[in-house]
Amino acid sequence: MTECVECGAEVSLHDDLEVGEIIDCTTCGAELEVVDTEPPVLEQAPELEEDWGE
Amino acid sequence: MNVGILYSRIRKDEKLLLTELRERDHEITKIDVRKQTFDISEVPTEFADLDIVVDRCLATSRSLYATQFFEAYGIPVVNSHETADICADKVKNSLALEKAGVPTPATKVAFTKETAMEAIEDFGYPCVLKPVVGSWGRLMAKIDSESAAEAILEHKATLGHYEHKVFYIQEFVEKPGRDIRVLAVDGEPIAAMVRSSDHWITNAAKGAETDVFDLDDEALDLVEKASDAVGGGLLGVDLMETSDSYTVHEVNHTVEFKALDEAVETDVAGTVVDWLEAKAEAADPDLEVTA
């Protein structure tokens, strides 16, 4: 568990957390980026850019 | 082997790859492209031991530059800059497919609203207007009427980045409510799926339903040709079924495969890593690709 940086709600995290992964806050819907795993640290994820894709 | 994963976001696709690489005890160097600087003459020390780099950049612009740097450093990168450069731009993509004799939708490019309107009128309605750079079905317009065409062109010319003033206009292909995504390595399919939707855009990113698809000989041949046309690599080749054949509408160079992985029985990540090992070994025959 860690805290959503947007709304402060608790965010549950899965075991194979990866730096760079995006987690959705189930309370406010914010997209949160994992910037560290030991211990878990979340930041607001970047907004979608026009050239993103595959 | 030491595999560099160039990324800015770890999606499920990257997690599948990372898991497979770790299970095989490969060393992994995660390279967050947002935190990296690239010197034109000095190879960054953290890259010195890399045997191969996999470009998984989410941003096309970063992918195009980063791949050039890795090639300049003499580090094998998949996909190559050549492949990224062709696939990142729909105009280059269409030209490459056409040149290779791969059936692809009729396409015209125009640089002003007036000439774009002429091209649209030539195709008739409906036709399709796409951004030259973009993905996931975003900013695509199916144009059903002259008034809609005028409005869309006006908006693109006024509000858009300069790339939106390159008008990429394409015939509307009457597909049977689905298209086909083939994941291939150097032209050899790993697996394929259909993406079905009631919407005219059938991207998985737009919520299309997916199911496994068996490729016939004609489709296999087109996938190989389309891959060759863009320089090969780990690619997502998109085809639409026509009345008697297929048409290839694009080839994607930082292909997502999580939807395919869920749709098919094939070990997608495992097959991709098999291919990566072979690429790294081909680049350095002395390399021990197994741990």
Side-chain angles (χ1 to χ4, degrees), chain B residues 108 115-125 127 129 143 145-146 149-150 153 169:
Chain B
K108 296 176 190 289
T115 50
M117 198 66 210
E118 287 174 17
I120 290 168
E121 294 283 336
D122 277 352
F123 278 122
Y125 302 99
C127 64
L129 194 59
I143 303 174
S145 68
E146 182 180 356
E150 287 170 347
L153 294 175
I169 303 141

Side-chain angles (χ1 to χ4, degrees), chain B residues 116-117 119-121 123-130 140-153 156 167-172 200:
Chain B
M117 198 66 210
I120 290 168
E121 294 283 336
F123 278 122
Y125 302 99
C127 64
V128 176
L129 194 59
K130 298 179 179 178
M140 306 234 296
K142 180 184 171 193
I143 303 174
D144 290 313
S145 68
E146 182 180 356
S147 57
E150 287 170 347
I152 293 165
L153 294 175
K156 282 175 73 76
F167 299 102
Y168 177 96
I169 303 141
Q170 202 163 62
E171 68 171 315
F172 179 74
W200 72 278

